[in-house]
Amino acid sequence: MSKKDTKQKILDAAEVLFAEQGFNDASLRIITSTADVNLASVNYHFGSKKDLIKAVMDRYLSIFMPNVDDALQRLLQEPDFRLEQVFECFVAPLMALTRIKRRGPEIFIQLLGRGYIDNQGFLRWFIVNHYGQVLEHFSQAIRKGAPELSASDVFWRLHFTLGTVVFTMASSDALRDIAQADFNEEIDVEGLVRKLIPYLASGVGARS
């Protein structure tokens, strides 16, 4: 097996286990057993569990964040826009993650949620340090779309937004099955994301 194949196997196993079990509970021993590699190979390719977590996340972030930033910067050039348009900037970049895996969008959102649930402060630092400009453009777009919100309002509402998105994407298969069974509604993952946008925009922009 080549070094590239070994590294890929570790990443593939780690991202699924991290998404399903969390960063704290998915041990390196479980990951290497699933990937069918030895523990030393993780140290060789990544150095530590924290570095492996960052590598798993950056496989998605390195595609997602630049695409989001392009969309946000184009939107910020507009003299006026709605919050719905801010959240629409995330749809195409999220769906582009299917280039990594068919379920890439769902896995990525679950991983983001795990970063908060498991209190992975180093991961938040990594995202801010590497993609701070994107986060700033997102913040600018929210403030421009809803100028009446205070900084505290924005913090809490985006926190609630992330929770809603994580739950929805983690339950995407079940929700789509229910939509089909109860409402005869065929919906793919992108359609599910688009259903979220009016709800998220209304929640973020709601009057206190």
Side-chain angles (χ1 to χ4, degrees):
M1 184 186 302
S2 71
K3 292 179 181 178
K4 183 177 181 180
D5 289 340
T6 300
K7 186 175 183 178
Q8 189 70 34
K9 286 182 69 175
I10 295 169
L11 285 171
D12 288 342
E15 73 174 29
V16 172
L17 290 166
F18 286 149
E20 291 178 349
Q21 300 182 15
F23 294 121
N24 293 331
D25 291 341
S27 68
L28 289 181
R29 192 168 298 280
I30 294 172
I31 291 167
T32 53
S33 176
T34 302
D36 194 26
V37 299
N38 59 52
L39 190 59
S41 62
V42 175
N43 296 326
Y44 175 79
H45 288 287
F46 301 101
S48 68
K49 184 177 180 181
K50 285 185 178 180
D51 288 329
L52 174 58
I53 291 172
K54 288 187 285 188
V56 165
M57 289 301 302
D58 206 44
R59 182 153 67 157
Y60 291 95
L61 289 167
S62 62
I63 294 174
F64 179 73
M65 286 299 207
N67 289 337
V68 168
D69 202 37
D70 288 345
L72 287 172
Q73 288 192 66
R74 287 195 299 271
L75 185 64
L76 285 167
Q77 299 305 310
E78 299 292 329
D80 189 37
F81 52 80
R82 297 170 291 106
L83 284 175
E84 286 90 341
Q85 292 172 273
V86 178
F87 288 105
E88 284 167 3
C89 290
F90 289 80
V91 178
L94 185 62
M95 298 315 299
L97 300 181
T98 56
R99 299 203 308 256
I100 300 173
K101 279 192 172 180
R102 183 182 63 82
R103 292 181 58 82
E106 297 100 304
I107 292 172
F108 172 62
I109 295 298
Q110 285 180 266
L111 289 169
L112 274 182
R114 288 293 187 181
Y116 281 83
I117 293 169
D118 293 350
N119 195 28
Q120 301 291 313
F122 79 92
L123 184 55
R124 289 195 290 277
W125 178 89
F126 173 78
I127 293 172
V128 169
N129 189 55
H130 285 77
Y131 301 104
Q133 181 178 345
V134 187
L135 300 177
E136 176 56 29
H137 288 153
F138 178 45
S139 179
Q140 288 176 20
I142 292 293
R143 292 197 302 269
K144 189 172 179 179
E148 70 281 3
L149 295 180
S150 69
S152 176
D153 287 335
V154 172
F155 166 77
W156 284 112
R157 294 181 189 196
L158 291 183
H159 175 78
F160 299 146
T161 293
L162 178 61
T164 301
V165 172
V166 169
F167 172 79
T168 300
M169 296 301 283
S171 309
S172 61
D173 288 342
L175 290 171
R176 291 159 64 196
D177 287 345
I178 292 169
Q180 172 64 42
D182 292 0
F183 310 111
N184 196 29
E185 185 177 3
E186 291 280 356
I187 184 169
D188 59 12
V189 173
E190 181 175 348
L192 184 61
V193 172
R194 291 192 179 280
K195 279 187 175 292
L196 266 175
I197 289 176
Y199 181 86
L200 297 178
S202 296
V204 171
R207 294 183 179 275
S208 299

PDB file of all heavy atoms in Angstrom, residues 48-75:
ATOM      1  N   SER A  48      -0.496  13.873  15.389  1.00  0.00           N
ATOM      2  CA  SER A  48      -1.276  13.762  16.607  1.00  0.00           C
ATOM      3  C   SER A  48      -2.752  13.671  16.244  1.00  0.00           C
ATOM      4  O   SER A  48      -3.144  13.901  15.098  1.00  0.00           O
ATOM      5  CB  SER A  48      -1.050  14.983  17.509  1.00  0.00           C
ATOM      6  OG  SER A  48      -1.601  16.148  16.900  1.00  0.00           O
ATOM      7  N   LYS A  49      -3.575  13.358  17.243  1.00  0.00           N
ATOM      8  CA  LYS A  49      -5.015  13.291  16.996  1.00  0.00           C
ATOM      9  C   LYS A  49      -5.564  14.665  16.625  1.00  0.00           C
ATOM     10  O   LYS A  49      -6.427  14.785  15.740  1.00  0.00           O
ATOM     11  CB  LYS A  49      -5.741  12.743  18.227  1.00  0.00           C
ATOM     12  CG  LYS A  49      -7.235  12.549  17.995  1.00  0.00           C
ATOM     13  CD  LYS A  49      -7.919  11.937  19.206  1.00  0.00           C
ATOM     14  CE  LYS A  49      -9.412  11.756  18.960  1.00  0.00           C
ATOM     15  NZ  LYS A  49     -10.110  11.177  20.145  1.00  0.00           N
ATOM     16  N   LYS A  50      -5.088  15.720  17.289  1.00  0.00           N
ATOM     17  CA  LYS A  50      -5.551  17.067  16.958  1.00  0.00           C
ATOM     18  C   LYS A  50      -5.222  17.415  15.510  1.00  0.00           C
ATOM     19  O   LYS A  50      -6.034  18.012  14.795  1.00  0.00           O
ATOM     20  CB  LYS A  50      -4.925  18.097  17.900  1.00  0.00           C
ATOM     21  CG  LYS A  50      -5.524  18.099  19.296  1.00  0.00           C
ATOM     22  CD  LYS A  50      -4.945  19.220  20.140  1.00  0.00           C
ATOM     23  CE  LYS A  50      -5.593  19.255  21.516  1.00  0.00           C
ATOM     24  NZ  LYS A  50      -5.045  20.354  22.350  1.00  0.00           N
ATOM     25  N   ASP A  51      -4.039  17.053  15.060  1.00  0.00           N
ATOM     26  CA  ASP A  51      -3.657  17.332  13.673  1.00  0.00           C
ATOM     27  C   ASP A  51      -4.483  16.501  12.695  1.00  0.00           C
ATOM     28  O   ASP A  51      -4.797  16.955  11.590  1.00  0.00           O
ATOM     29  CB  ASP A  51      -2.169  17.064  13.466  1.00  0.00           C
ATOM     30  CG  ASP A  51      -1.288  18.105  14.138  1.00  0.00           C
ATOM     31  OD1 ASP A  51      -1.731  19.263  14.232  1.00  0.00           O
ATOM     32  OD2 ASP A  51      -0.193  17.752  14.586  1.00  0.00           O
ATOM     33  N   LEU A  52      -4.856  15.297  13.101  1.00  0.00           N
ATOM     34  CA  LEU A  52      -5.731  14.478  12.265  1.00  0.00           C
ATOM     35  C   LEU A  52      -7.113  15.129  12.156  1.00  0.00           C
ATOM     36  O   LEU A  52      -7.698  15.188  11.060  1.00  0.00           O
ATOM     37  CB  LEU A  52      -5.859  13.068  12.856  1.00  0.00           C
ATOM     38  CG  LEU A  52      -6.866  12.129  12.163  1.00  0.00           C
ATOM     39  CD1 LEU A  52      -6.522  11.952  10.684  1.00  0.00           C
ATOM     40  CD2 LEU A  52      -6.908  10.780  12.881  1.00  0.00           C
ATOM     41  N   ILE A  53      -7.633  15.627  13.262  1.00  0.00           N
ATOM     42  CA  ILE A  53      -8.931  16.309  13.242  1.00  0.00           C
ATOM     43  C   ILE A  53      -8.880  17.510  12.303  1.00  0.00           C
ATOM     44  O   ILE A  53      -9.791  17.724  11.489  1.00  0.00           O
ATOM     45  CB  ILE A  53      -9.328  16.753  14.671  1.00  0.00           C
ATOM     46  CG1 ILE A  53      -9.649  15.530  15.528  1.00  0.00           C
ATOM     47  CG2 ILE A  53     -10.520  17.708  14.627  1.00  0.00           C
ATOM     48  CD1 ILE A  53      -9.863  15.838  17.001  1.00  0.00           C
ATOM     49  N   LYS A  54      -7.807  18.287  12.391  1.00  0.00           N
ATOM     50  CA  LYS A  54      -7.682  19.453  11.515  1.00  0.00           C
ATOM     51  C   LYS A  54      -7.590  19.040  10.054  1.00  0.00           C
ATOM     52  O   LYS A  54      -8.170  19.694   9.174  1.00  0.00           O
ATOM     53  CB  LYS A  54      -6.456  20.287  11.925  1.00  0.00           C
ATOM     54  CG  LYS A  54      -6.655  21.042  13.225  1.00  0.00           C
ATOM     55  CD  LYS A  54      -5.516  21.983  13.543  1.00  0.00           C
ATOM     56  CE  LYS A  54      -4.296  21.265  14.039  1.00  0.00           C
ATOM     57  NZ  LYS A  54      -3.251  22.195  14.521  1.00  0.00           N
ATOM     58  N   ALA A  55      -6.898  17.951   9.783  1.00  0.00           N
ATOM     59  CA  ALA A  55      -6.770  17.475   8.395  1.00  0.00           C
ATOM     60  C   ALA A  55      -8.113  16.996   7.862  1.00  0.00           C
ATOM     61  O   ALA A  55      -8.456  17.250   6.696  1.00  0.00           O
ATOM     62  CB  ALA A  55      -5.741  16.347   8.318  1.00  0.00           C
ATOM     63  N   VAL A  56      -8.881  16.298   8.696  1.00  0.00           N
ATOM     64  CA  VAL A  56     -10.218  15.847   8.294  1.00  0.00           C
ATOM     65  C   VAL A  56     -11.102  17.057   7.965  1.00  0.00           C
ATOM     66  O   VAL A  56     -11.792  17.078   6.947  1.00  0.00           O
ATOM     67  CB  VAL A  56     -10.856  14.993   9.419  1.00  0.00           C
ATOM     68  CG1 VAL A  56     -12.362  14.830   9.185  1.00  0.00           C
ATOM     69  CG2 VAL A  56     -10.188  13.629   9.490  1.00  0.00           C
ATOM     70  N   MET A  57     -11.080  18.052   8.834  1.00  0.00           N
ATOM     71  CA  MET A  57     -11.910  19.233   8.614  1.00  0.00           C
ATOM     72  C   MET A  57     -11.457  20.031   7.398  1.00  0.00           C
ATOM     73  O   MET A  57     -12.279  20.515   6.619  1.00  0.00           O
ATOM     74  CB  MET A  57     -11.883  20.133   9.857  1.00  0.00           C
ATOM     75  CG  MET A  57     -12.620  19.574  11.057  1.00  0.00           C
ATOM     76  SD  MET A  57     -14.372  19.238  10.745  1.00  0.00           S
ATOM     77  CE  MET A  57     -14.954  20.857  10.258  1.00  0.00           C
ATOM     78  N   ASP A  58     -10.138  20.153   7.233  1.00  0.00           N
ATOM     79  CA  ASP A  58      -9.650  21.010   6.154  1.00  0.00           C
ATOM     80  C   ASP A  58      -9.863  20.379   4.785  1.00  0.00           C
ATOM     81  O   ASP A  58      -9.850  21.086   3.771  1.00  0.00           O
ATOM     82  CB  ASP A  58      -8.167  21.343   6.351  1.00  0.00           C
ATOM     83  CG  ASP A  58      -7.792  22.656   5.685  1.00  0.00           C
ATOM     84  OD1 ASP A  58      -8.565  23.624   5.830  1.00  0.00           O
ATOM     85  OD2 ASP A  58      -6.744  22.721   5.034  1.00  0.00           O
ATOM     86  N   ARG A  59     -10.060  19.089   4.719  1.00  0.00           N
ATOM     87  CA  ARG A  59     -10.382  18.466   3.442  1.00  0.00           C
ATOM     88  C   ARG A  59     -11.674  19.065   2.892  1.00  0.00           C
ATOM     89  O   ARG A  59     -11.828  19.234   1.689  1.00  0.00           O
ATOM     90  CB  ARG A  59     -10.511  16.948   3.621  1.00  0.00           C
ATOM     91  CG  ARG A  59     -10.796  16.211   2.326  1.00  0.00           C
ATOM     92  CD  ARG A  59     -10.299  14.801   2.324  1.00  0.00           C
ATOM     93  NE  ARG A  59     -11.006  13.944   3.276  1.00  0.00           N
ATOM     94  CZ  ARG A  59     -11.059  12.608   3.142  1.00  0.00           C
ATOM     95  NH1 ARG A  59     -10.473  12.022   2.122  1.00  0.00           N
ATOM     96  NH2 ARG A  59     -11.682  11.881   4.032  1.00  0.00           N
ATOM     97  N   TYR A  60     -12.601  19.412   3.789  1.00  0.00           N
ATOM     98  CA  TYR A  60     -13.849  20.045   3.390  1.00  0.00           C
ATOM     99  C   TYR A  60     -13.733  21.566   3.379  1.00  0.00           C
ATOM    100  O   TYR A  60     -14.201  22.232   2.453  1.00  0.00           O
ATOM    101  CB  TYR A  60     -14.977  19.612   4.335  1.00  0.00           C
ATOM    102  CG  TYR A  60     -15.342  18.161   4.179  1.00  0.00           C
ATOM    103  CD1 TYR A  60     -14.790  17.181   4.998  1.00  0.00           C
ATOM    104  CD2 TYR A  60     -16.243  17.758   3.198  1.00  0.00           C
ATOM    105  CE1 TYR A  60     -15.124  15.846   4.846  1.00  0.00           C
ATOM    106  CE2 TYR A  60     -16.587  16.427   3.030  1.00  0.00           C
ATOM    107  CZ  TYR A  60     -16.019  15.475   3.862  1.00  0.00           C
ATOM    108  OH  TYR A  60     -16.346  14.148   3.696  1.00  0.00           O
ATOM    109  N   LEU A  61     -13.126  22.121   4.422  1.00  0.00           N
ATOM    110  CA  LEU A  61     -13.032  23.575   4.535  1.00  0.00           C
ATOM    111  C   LEU A  61     -12.284  24.206   3.365  1.00  0.00           C
ATOM    112  O   LEU A  61     -12.636  25.298   2.909  1.00  0.00           O
ATOM    113  CB  LEU A  61     -12.331  23.955   5.843  1.00  0.00           C
ATOM    114  CG  LEU A  61     -13.120  23.723   7.130  1.00  0.00           C
ATOM    115  CD1 LEU A  61     -12.188  23.828   8.339  1.00  0.00           C
ATOM    116  CD2 LEU A  61     -14.263  24.716   7.254  1.00  0.00           C
ATOM    117  N   SER A  62     -11.248  23.521   2.870  1.00  0.00           N
ATOM    118  CA  SER A  62     -10.428  24.099   1.795  1.00  0.00           C
ATOM    119  C   SER A  62     -11.204  24.238   0.490  1.00  0.00           C
ATOM    120  O   SER A  62     -10.820  25.031  -0.378  1.00  0.00           O
ATOM    121  CB  SER A  62      -9.180  23.236   1.565  1.00  0.00           C
ATOM    122  OG  SER A  62      -9.544  21.929   1.154  1.00  0.00           O
ATOM    123  N   ILE A  63     -12.287  23.491   0.338  1.00  0.00           N
ATOM    124  CA  ILE A  63     -13.171  23.640  -0.820  1.00  0.00           C
ATOM    125  C   ILE A  63     -14.339  24.568  -0.480  1.00  0.00           C
ATOM    126  O   ILE A  63     -14.675  25.479  -1.243  1.00  0.00           O
ATOM    127  CB  ILE A  63     -13.710  22.265  -1.266  1.00  0.00           C
ATOM    128  CG1 ILE A  63     -12.566  21.396  -1.790  1.00  0.00           C
ATOM    129  CG2 ILE A  63     -14.798  22.416  -2.330  1.00  0.00           C
ATOM    130  CD1 ILE A  63     -12.974  19.971  -2.119  1.00  0.00           C
ATOM    131  N   PHE A  64     -14.919  24.352   0.688  1.00  0.00           N
ATOM    132  CA  PHE A  64     -16.126  25.078   1.083  1.00  0.00           C
ATOM    133  C   PHE A  64     -15.884  26.574   1.298  1.00  0.00           C
ATOM    134  O   PHE A  64     -16.605  27.423   0.747  1.00  0.00           O
ATOM    135  CB  PHE A  64     -16.681  24.447   2.361  1.00  0.00           C
ATOM    136  CG  PHE A  64     -17.914  25.091   2.909  1.00  0.00           C
ATOM    137  CD1 PHE A  64     -19.136  24.924   2.284  1.00  0.00           C
ATOM    138  CD2 PHE A  64     -17.857  25.848   4.075  1.00  0.00           C
ATOM    139  CE1 PHE A  64     -20.286  25.505   2.803  1.00  0.00           C
ATOM    140  CE2 PHE A  64     -18.989  26.437   4.600  1.00  0.00           C
ATOM    141  CZ  PHE A  64     -20.210  26.268   3.967  1.00  0.00           C
ATOM    142  N   MET A  65     -14.888  26.919   2.090  1.00  0.00           N
ATOM    143  CA  MET A  65     -14.698  28.304   2.501  1.00  0.00           C
ATOM    144  C   MET A  65     -14.382  29.263   1.345  1.00  0.00           C
ATOM    145  O   MET A  65     -14.974  30.342   1.258  1.00  0.00           O
ATOM    146  CB  MET A  65     -13.625  28.395   3.583  1.00  0.00           C
ATOM    147  CG  MET A  65     -14.081  27.903   4.942  1.00  0.00           C
ATOM    148  SD  MET A  65     -15.472  28.860   5.586  1.00  0.00           S
ATOM    149  CE  MET A  65     -15.238  28.654   7.350  1.00  0.00           C
ATOM    150  N   PRO A  66     -13.462  28.931   0.431  1.00  0.00           N
ATOM    151  CA  PRO A  66     -13.212  29.859  -0.679  1.00  0.00           C
ATOM    152  C   PRO A  66     -14.443  30.078  -1.549  1.00  0.00           C
ATOM    153  O   PRO A  66     -14.683  31.208  -2.027  1.00  0.00           O
ATOM    154  CB  PRO A  66     -12.093  29.171  -1.467  1.00  0.00           C
ATOM    155  CG  PRO A  66     -11.399  28.313  -0.468  1.00  0.00           C
ATOM    156  CD  PRO A  66     -12.496  27.804   0.425  1.00  0.00           C
ATOM    157  N   ASN A  67     -15.241  29.040  -1.760  1.00  0.00           N
ATOM    158  CA  ASN A  67     -16.457  29.192  -2.560  1.00  0.00           C
ATOM    159  C   ASN A  67     -17.489  30.065  -1.855  1.00  0.00           C
ATOM    160  O   ASN A  67     -18.154  30.895  -2.486  1.00  0.00           O
ATOM    161  CB  ASN A  67     -17.051  27.820  -2.865  1.00  0.00           C
ATOM    162  CG  ASN A  67     -16.233  27.032  -3.860  1.00  0.00           C
ATOM    163  OD1 ASN A  67     -15.475  27.596  -4.649  1.00  0.00           O
ATOM    164  ND2 ASN A  67     -16.363  25.716  -3.841  1.00  0.00           N
ATOM    165  N   VAL A  68     -17.621  29.892  -0.545  1.00  0.00           N
ATOM    166  CA  VAL A  68     -18.518  30.750   0.229  1.00  0.00           C
ATOM    167  C   VAL A  68     -18.046  32.200   0.167  1.00  0.00           C
ATOM    168  O   VAL A  68     -18.840  33.133  -0.015  1.00  0.00           O
ATOM    169  CB  VAL A  68     -18.593  30.284   1.701  1.00  0.00           C
ATOM    170  CG1 VAL A  68     -19.289  31.337   2.565  1.00  0.00           C
ATOM    171  CG2 VAL A  68     -19.328  28.963   1.806  1.00  0.00           C
ATOM    172  N   ASP A  69     -16.744  32.396   0.308  1.00  0.00           N
ATOM    173  CA  ASP A  69     -16.202  33.754   0.305  1.00  0.00           C
ATOM    174  C   ASP A  69     -16.461  34.453  -1.024  1.00  0.00           C
ATOM    175  O   ASP A  69     -16.808  35.642  -1.054  1.00  0.00           O
ATOM    176  CB  ASP A  69     -14.705  33.720   0.605  1.00  0.00           C
ATOM    177  CG  ASP A  69     -14.193  35.051   1.128  1.00  0.00           C
ATOM    178  OD1 ASP A  69     -14.942  35.707   1.882  1.00  0.00           O
ATOM    179  OD2 ASP A  69     -13.064  35.438   0.786  1.00  0.00           O
ATOM    180  N   ASP A  70     -16.292  33.745  -2.119  1.00  0.00           N
ATOM    181  CA  ASP A  70     -16.574  34.339  -3.427  1.00  0.00           C
ATOM    182  C   ASP A  70     -18.028  34.800  -3.501  1.00  0.00           C
ATOM    183  O   ASP A  70     -18.318  35.913  -3.977  1.00  0.00           O
ATOM    184  CB  ASP A  70     -16.297  33.328  -4.548  1.00  0.00           C
ATOM    185  CG  ASP A  70     -14.819  33.083  -4.768  1.00  0.00           C
ATOM    186  OD1 ASP A  70     -14.000  33.886  -4.273  1.00  0.00           O
ATOM    187  OD2 ASP A  70     -14.474  32.078  -5.424  1.00  0.00           O
ATOM    188  N   ALA A  71     -18.937  33.948  -3.043  1.00  0.00           N
ATOM    189  CA  ALA A  71     -20.364  34.290  -3.100  1.00  0.00           C
ATOM    190  C   ALA A  71     -20.687  35.469  -2.173  1.00  0.00           C
ATOM    191  O   ALA A  71     -21.454  36.368  -2.540  1.00  0.00           O
ATOM    192  CB  ALA A  71     -21.204  33.075  -2.719  1.00  0.00           C
ATOM    193  N   LEU A  72     -20.107  35.486  -0.978  1.00  0.00           N
ATOM    194  CA  LEU A  72     -20.363  36.571  -0.036  1.00  0.00           C
ATOM    195  C   LEU A  72     -19.818  37.900  -0.555  1.00  0.00           C
ATOM    196  O   LEU A  72     -20.477  38.946  -0.421  1.00  0.00           O
ATOM    197  CB  LEU A  72     -19.734  36.251   1.317  1.00  0.00           C
ATOM    198  CG  LEU A  72     -20.422  35.167   2.153  1.00  0.00           C
ATOM    199  CD1 LEU A  72     -19.573  34.826   3.369  1.00  0.00           C
ATOM    200  CD2 LEU A  72     -21.821  35.612   2.594  1.00  0.00           C
ATOM    201  N   GLN A  73     -18.624  37.864  -1.128  1.00  0.00           N
ATOM    202  CA  GLN A  73     -18.048  39.119  -1.629  1.00  0.00           C
ATOM    203  C   GLN A  73     -18.870  39.687  -2.779  1.00  0.00           C
ATOM    204  O   GLN A  73     -19.029  40.909  -2.887  1.00  0.00           O
ATOM    205  CB  GLN A  73     -16.600  38.880  -2.070  1.00  0.00           C
ATOM    206  CG  GLN A  73     -15.645  38.660  -0.903  1.00  0.00           C
ATOM    207  CD  GLN A  73     -14.201  38.725  -1.317  1.00  0.00           C
ATOM    208  OE1 GLN A  73     -13.705  39.774  -1.723  1.00  0.00           O
ATOM    209  NE2 GLN A  73     -13.504  37.607  -1.221  1.00  0.00           N
ATOM    210  N   ARG A  74     -19.406  38.815  -3.628  1.00  0.00           N
ATOM    211  CA  ARG A  74     -20.280  39.301  -4.703  1.00  0.00           C
ATOM    212  C   ARG A  74     -21.543  39.926  -4.117  1.00  0.00           C
ATOM    213  O   ARG A  74     -21.996  40.986  -4.570  1.00  0.00           O
ATOM    214  CB  ARG A  74     -20.648  38.157  -5.651  1.00  0.00           C
ATOM    215  CG  ARG A  74     -19.512  37.700  -6.553  1.00  0.00           C
ATOM    216  CD  ARG A  74     -20.033  36.831  -7.689  1.00  0.00           C
ATOM    217  NE  ARG A  74     -20.691  35.629  -7.221  1.00  0.00           N
ATOM    218  CZ  ARG A  74     -20.063  34.477  -6.982  1.00  0.00           C
ATOM    219  NH1 ARG A  74     -18.746  34.378  -7.150  1.00  0.00           N
ATOM    220  NH2 ARG A  74     -20.748  33.423  -6.565  1.00  0.00           N
ATOM    221  N   LEU A  75     -22.092  39.286  -3.088  1.00  0.00           N
ATOM    222  CA  LEU A  75     -23.307  39.812  -2.474  1.00  0.00           C
ATOM    223  C   LEU A  75     -23.050  41.147  -1.794  1.00  0.00           C
ATOM    224  O   LEU A  75     -23.889  42.064  -1.872  1.00  0.00           O
ATOM    225  CB  LEU A  75     -23.848  38.799  -1.453  1.00  0.00           C
ATOM    226  CG  LEU A  75     -25.189  39.153  -0.799  1.00  0.00           C
ATOM    227  CD1 LEU A  75     -26.299  39.198  -1.848  1.00  0.00           C
ATOM    228  CD2 LEU A  75     -25.532  38.151   0.303  1.00  0.00           C
TER     229      LEU A  75
END
